Amino acid sequence: MTNLLPQDQIEAFRAKAAAVEHPHELIVDVLRAVQAHHGWVPDEGVELVAELLGVLPVEVEELATFYDKIFRRPVGRRVIHVCDSICCWASGGEAITSHLQKSLGIGFGETSADGLFTLLPTCCLGACGDAPAMMVGLTTYGQLTAEKIDAILRQEREISSEPKKLRHRDTKTPREP
């Protein structure tokens, strides 16, 4: 189980858990750390989180399966969340989804043959004013068109082909392709 997180992170989370009154508040943080290190959260990751925080595995599983940004099965290196809220659908979301599926050769819940992209629906990205929208990693893109999607996919493919130490790191602010 310890290969799911580096030992220094394990010790840091143990120390945090000992320092807080309610270790449950750390469950999502530790799940995200496991996912960042391993790519997704296997059953052993749920067990590790529970052991580190002194909570029941079922309590970890409840949160891991509630949040759609925690992945309980393998995903591509870049996960694309397509907003399927009413605002996005009313603004052309169905056409955007069709274009993504055709461009990537996959449907929702599938991963591209090269292992780069996984396509998932999400109920809302909070980008209603920029609908239709999608998120790649932690970056939200709005006012999508087929051309803009093509540019974003090209950019993501270029980034993924760079040596690891030079790769783009996700940010929480939008960027243009």
Side-chain angles (χ1 to χ4, degrees):
M1 273 198 303
T2 56
N3 64 338
L4 296 173
L5 278 177
Q7 192 60 39
D8 61 328
Q9 264 191 308
I10 289 173
E11 295 309 319
F13 280 122
R14 276 199 179 116
K16 272 187 173 181
V20 298
E21 187 174 345
H22 303 287
H24 290 84
E25 67 189 52
L26 299 173
I27 292 174
V28 173
D29 292 340
V30 184
L31 284 169
R32 289 184 70 182
V34 168
Q35 182 168 288
H37 185 74
H38 187 68
W40 61 290
V41 180
D43 291 342
E44 296 81 13
V46 169
E47 293 168 17
L48 174 63
V49 174
E51 185 268 320
L52 285 176
L53 302 179
V55 300
L56 296 173
V58 70
E59 294 172 308
V60 176
E61 182 69 18
E62 288 170 345
L63 287 174
T65 56
F66 176 78
Y67 292 107
D68 71 350
K69 308 297 185 287
I70 301 292
F71 310 123
R72 290 290 281 123
R73 61 183 191 169
V75 293
R77 293 184 304 279
R78 304 299 288 162
V79 177
I80 300 172
H81 285 93
V82 180
C83 184
D84 63 4
S85 74
I86 189 68
C87 290
C88 284
W89 281 102
S91 300
E94 194 168 6
I96 294 307
T97 297
S98 293
H99 183 75
L100 275 164
Q101 290 175 331
K102 183 178 177 187
S103 296
L104 298 171
I106 58 175
F108 280 137
E110 297 177 343
T111 300
S112 59
D114 61 4
L116 183 56
F117 297 109
T118 295
L119 188 62
L120 298 173
T122 194
C123 62
C124 185
L125 293 173
C128 301
D130 288 323
M134 71 179 188
M135 179 185 276
V136 182
L138 296 176
T139 303
T140 301
Y141 298 95
Q143 300 179 352
L144 294 173
T145 63
E147 295 77 20
K148 192 170 183 180
I149 287 172
D150 292 342
I152 293 165
L153 295 177
R154 246 188 331 274
Q155 178 183 16
E156 292 294 336
R157 284 186 175 104
E158 289 171 12
I159 290 167
S160 72
S161 67
E162 295 173 2
K164 191 170 184 170
K165 64 181 179 181
L166 300 177
R167 282 187 194 159
H168 161 77
R169 293 288 177 223
D170 279 322
T171 63
K172 292 185 180 180
T173 56
R175 68 174 195 269
E176 291 297 317

